[in-house]
Amino acid sequence: MASGGKVVVVTGASGGVGRAVARRFAERGDRVALLARGEKGLAAAADDVRAVGGVPLVLPVDVADAEAVDAAAARTEEELGPIDVWINDAFTSVFAPVTEIGAAEFRRVTEVCYLGYVHGTKAALDRMLPRDRGAIVQVGSALAYRGIPLQAAYSAAKHAIQGFHEALRCELLHDGSGVATTMVQLPAVNTPQFDWVRSRLPRRAQPVPPIYQPEVAATAVVHAADHPRRREYWVGGSTVLTLLGDRVAPGLLDRYLARTGYDAQQTGERRRRDRPSNLWEPVDGADGRDHGAHGRFDADAARTSPQLWASRHRGALTAGAAAAAAAGAAVLARRR
């Protein structure tokens, strides 16, 4: 059994935010169990963890399989020790209007993006509750509060995670448990997902600005794991606006997104018909390649977030969030 640092489990660790999160924990000397489907991405993530002083454990798993997730948790404890932190971040999606997403596709996104979180959380609770200690972090999204066009399946899954998180948090508080859960609500992040999720859009998919680097998200997730008693953390101005915008101007975001949401999520380039899709199989599998943490939007992505600072410092949060929401609402009102 390995020794030194905390034992951390990260789902979706082969790429994007999960990859950056694993590296950030490893920089502290933690032991990191890496859960994902893609072999190439997992191997590269393990190299990242070793390179910065952490201890990796590669566990190929599809989080939609509850038994497999529980088995991965058991192996983590056998090889690394008792789990201190569990990060749920596994992801897949379909970019398309509701009328162009099949029932099986809706089910698959739900199984990974929502039920995968449930499976991970229950595997963690089964081990943490008897010890009366541990932290569970749900990596959420602005879409947990505000659905957007062309991302119905993903928006619905994030809404479901939010409800699950709130219910679980209340139960843990009722029991006076030493186990805590928190949620990190992310804005648009520069990850490879925009080139590997299933897409039926006519043009190449892109995140809705403002865009942040995955390391910003990773900093928030690690901080949340260290301070899991907070209900949630916000990262990025768009997240704050999403949370408060409809309260400032009810219904305004619906009309605004109806007009702008399609173009805002696509570049001017035509979508390649032969682009990969990770809905059913990983694009970084045995026949694929490692895609890393970053996507193709490095030139446009911010490396810092004032809103994250405000979220981590309670005194500044209320004023900062209110100011951001008011400013955002004013901008949207001018564009009506």
Side-chain angles (χ1 to χ4, degrees):
M1 182 181 295
S3 61
K6 290 185 176 182
V7 174
V8 181
V9 177
V10 182
T11 74
S14 60
V17 171
R19 179 75 164 266
V21 166
R23 182 181 176 91
R24 189 56 54 87
F25 277 111
E27 289 172 347
R28 313 191 315 178
D30 290 339
R31 292 160 278 165
V32 187
L34 307 164
L35 277 61
R37 296 175 299 163
E39 298 174 28
K40 296 288 181 64
L42 281 172
D47 289 341
D48 285 353
V49 168
R50 291 190 197 94
V52 295
V55 177
L57 174 63
V58 170
L59 296 170
V61 67
D62 185 338
V63 297
D65 184 337
E67 292 184 0
V69 172
D70 191 71
R75 188 175 162 197
T76 297
E77 298 219 326
E78 290 170 3
E79 299 197 24
L80 299 182
I83 297 169
D84 298 297
V85 177
W86 188 290
I87 310 295
N88 284 311
D89 181 56
F91 164 86
T92 192
S93 190
V94 179
F95 290 166
V98 169
T99 53
E100 297 179 23
I101 303 175
E105 293 172 329
F106 270 110
R107 185 178 303 110
R108 176 62 179 166
V109 173
T110 303
E111 288 172 346
V112 173
C113 294
Y114 169 50
L115 292 179
Y117 279 48
V118 174
H119 300 157
T121 298
K122 287 181 64 63
L125 290 173
D126 286 347
R127 291 155 178 86
M128 292 177 176
L129 289 176
R131 297 190 288 263
D132 198 34
R133 62 180 175 84
I136 300 170
V137 181
Q138 318 290 5
V139 177
S141 166
L143 304 192
Y145 287 97
R146 167 72 256 176
I148 64 174
L150 306 179
Q151 294 200 50
Y154 184 68
S155 296
K158 290 301 182 183
H159 274 66
I161 295 165
Q162 180 70 21
F164 172 73
H165 161 65
E166 291 171 348
L168 172 61
R169 185 170 186 270
C170 291
E171 293 172 7
L172 293 173
L173 290 170
H174 171 271
D175 295 341
S177 178
V179 178
T181 183
T182 189
M183 193 163 179
V184 178
Q185 310 294 13
L186 300 183
V189 182
N190 174 34
T191 72
Q193 66 168 309
F194 299 95
D195 287 320
W196 70 20
V197 301
R198 178 160 294 187
S199 176
R200 296 193 175 93
L201 306 182
R203 291 173 279 141
R204 294 184 79 182
Q206 69 174 8
V208 179
I211 307 167
Y212 295 83
Q213 292 290 27
E215 288 76 18
V216 176
T219 296
V221 171
V222 172
H223 178 82
D226 289 341
H227 305 277
R229 296 291 171 183
R230 287 278 302 280
R231 180 176 179 270
E232 64 185 353
Y233 293 84
W234 304 340
V235 184
S238 61
T239 319
V240 178
L241 177 60
T242 293
L243 182 60
L244 299 179
D246 271 346
R247 300 179 189 176
V248 175
L252 182 57
L253 282 177
D254 291 341
R255 294 187 290 273
Y256 175 69
L257 289 170
R259 288 199 311 274
T260 67
Y262 280 60
D263 284 342
Q265 295 184 76
Q266 300 177 77
T267 71
E269 302 174 72
R270 299 294 298 178
R271 171 177 59 88
R272 285 174 39 207
R273 296 294 177 181
D274 61 344
R275 69 187 295 279
S277 164
N278 77 337
L279 186 64
W280 303 106
E281 300 293 338
V283 299
D284 53 347
D287 297 327
R289 66 175 180 85
D290 172 42
H291 290 258
H294 287 225
R296 53 187 157 88
F297 304 97
D298 278 328
D300 302 313
R303 299 180 181 275
T304 60
S305 167
Q307 289 76 25
L308 173 57
W309 182 92
S311 190
R312 292 168 62 180
H313 298 79
R314 283 173 177 266
L317 177 58
T318 302
V331 170
L332 294 183
R334 289 195 297 270
R335 296 180 180 179
R336 287 186 70 181

